[in-house]
Amino acid sequence: MNDWPEGWPANGGNGDARGYGRGSAGAQPESARVMRHVQRPAAPPHGGVPPQQRYDQGQGHAEPGYDSGYNTGQVYGGGDRGHIPPQGGAPYRQPGPAPDWRRRLKVGSVVVLVAVLGTTIGTYFWADSKVRREVDLSKVIERPAEGDCTTYLIVGSDSREGLSADDKKRLRTGSAEGKRTDSMMILAKCGSGNTMVSLPRDSDVEIPTFVGSESGKTFQGTGRRVKLNAAYAEDGPELLVRTVEHNTGLRIDHYAEIGFAGFANIVDALGGVEMNIEKGFKDKKSGADFKAGKQTLDGEQALAFVRTRYAFAGSDLDRTKNQQKFLSTLANQAATPGTILNPFKLYPTLGAGLDTLIVDKDMSLWDLGSMFFAMKGVSSGDGTSMNIPISGSRGGNLVWDKAKVQQLVKQIQNDEKVTVTAK
């Protein structure tokens, strides 16, 4: 009796009667006829390799609808990174998120702000380190009461410090030892308007009791009268401040002094200062030779312009007017965005000025900047420029008009609009 299922060979399932089939010991494989579950692909025309079927078509070794994971990259856990682009095409990438321009703008603004702050702070400490705070106003005695305005005593000295022999010859400064005041003016920075008052160096003043800046010794006043610039020559800036305060009754808050070299170098660092000279003049001693009209003065010409006195009928009084005019114009042209925002102009200008600028020990860069912009305000019409009122002369010295000087000082002290006039 045959126990095998119908259609199975009777030799124990090891093949058909010829010995082929499952478990056949024969040398030949089972034929396609016997192995009905295997279908041979059709032979390609003219021979060659038969076309391969794609997995994603559900053929070959995969059943229809079967997803092997290769087409999505899931085999490697990479999503679309495993996608193989069509032949000849670029690799496919899904578009990323749109740029966050608002965030980029914020970051950029912060970077720019940090850079500007860093540069500003660095410039401040660099400039502050160059300021020469050598004048001690605490040594000045018997000082007037403080007023409502901030007052500066601005001095131009004939110091040759920093000048070579060739510079002295070129600038016609001479070679005198020591230094003297070549110009002096009071600048009052007030809410009612700024006022610049020139003090002629030939002004007739009294030397009061004072304490020596070096010796600390008290020198009693004897009513001795001298030219104003003699006070500076006798005991320097401290006695000059003491003498100005004693003869005017106006308290001086800050002191600033610049020599010949610093003055000329500032002008050259700015590329010159444009001036409108109303009437031409010449002066052999200062080297001045100017024609009327607009012209740009370099450092050498500017120094000659502010030092000339013998070419004018009013001598020192006319010279002080030119000094005021030039300093106001200089400040007006220097305090422009083209200079302040241009490091190639700003740093040379600051360096040229600060190297020879001497100020009092309490003068900050803020105070120095306020003084500078107050001078600019006078040039732009926001204030008054004048000589101190003169009533006559005594022994070649210019005598102040006491009544007008007292009125002028009172208006400055009380921050009132200056109405006093002078020649």
Side-chain angles (χ1 to χ4, degrees), residues 276-338:
N276 183 19
I277 300 177
E278 297 178 359
K279 185 178 180 180
F281 59 90
K282 293 183 179 181
D283 180 31
K284 290 183 179 180
K285 290 191 175 182
S286 67
D289 186 3
F290 299 105
K291 296 181 179 180
K294 286 187 176 182
Q295 49 204 287
T296 299
L297 309 186
D298 60 19
E300 179 181 349
Q301 293 171 321
L303 195 56
F305 181 82
V306 299
R307 295 184 64 213
T308 298
R309 61 184 300 192
Y310 297 105
F312 308 126
S315 188
D316 205 30
L317 292 177
D318 287 339
R319 181 175 72 159
T320 55
K321 292 178 181 178
N322 279 345
Q323 291 171 347
Q324 287 184 353
K325 182 178 181 180
F326 185 86
L327 288 178
S328 296
T329 304
L330 171 66
N332 191 55
Q333 294 183 19
T336 61

Side-chain angles (χ1 to χ4, degrees), residues 119-184:
T119 302
T120 302
I121 293 173
T123 300
Y124 178 89
F125 284 105
W126 168 78
D128 189 71
S129 68
K130 296 178 73 67
V131 176
R132 298 169 58 180
R133 297 182 174 90
E134 300 175 3
V135 180
D136 189 357
L137 295 184
S138 67
K139 295 179 179 179
V140 180
I141 62 174
E142 301 178 12
R143 310 197 67 188
E146 293 186 1
D148 294 332
C149 300
T150 301
T151 55
Y152 301 84
L153 180 60
I154 303 173
V155 174
S157 75
D158 65 358
S159 170
R160 279 78 173 171
E161 180 182 355
L163 294 177
S164 64
D166 289 339
D167 290 334
K168 293 176 184 178
K169 183 178 180 180
R170 176 175 58 87
L171 299 175
R172 297 174 181 262
T173 64
S175 299
E177 296 297 328
K179 59 181 180 178
R180 287 154 293 279
T181 54
D182 204 58
S183 62
M184 293 162 283

Side-chain angles (χ1 to χ4, degrees), residues 2 95 159 173 186 238 258 304 314 319 377 393 405:
N2 187 358
S159 170
T173 64
I186 295 173
E238 288 84 358
I258 191 166
R319 181 175 72 159
S393 63
V405 170

Side-chain angles (χ1 to χ4, degrees), residues 42-57:
H46 307 293
V49 180
Q52 303 299 309
Q53 297 176 352
R54 294 169 51 182
Y55 288 104
D56 57 0
Q57 293 178 339

Side-chain angles (χ1 to χ4, degrees), residues 39 86 92 266 309 380 422:
Q39 297 182 359
Y92 174 76
I266 289 176
R309 61 184 300 192
S380 62

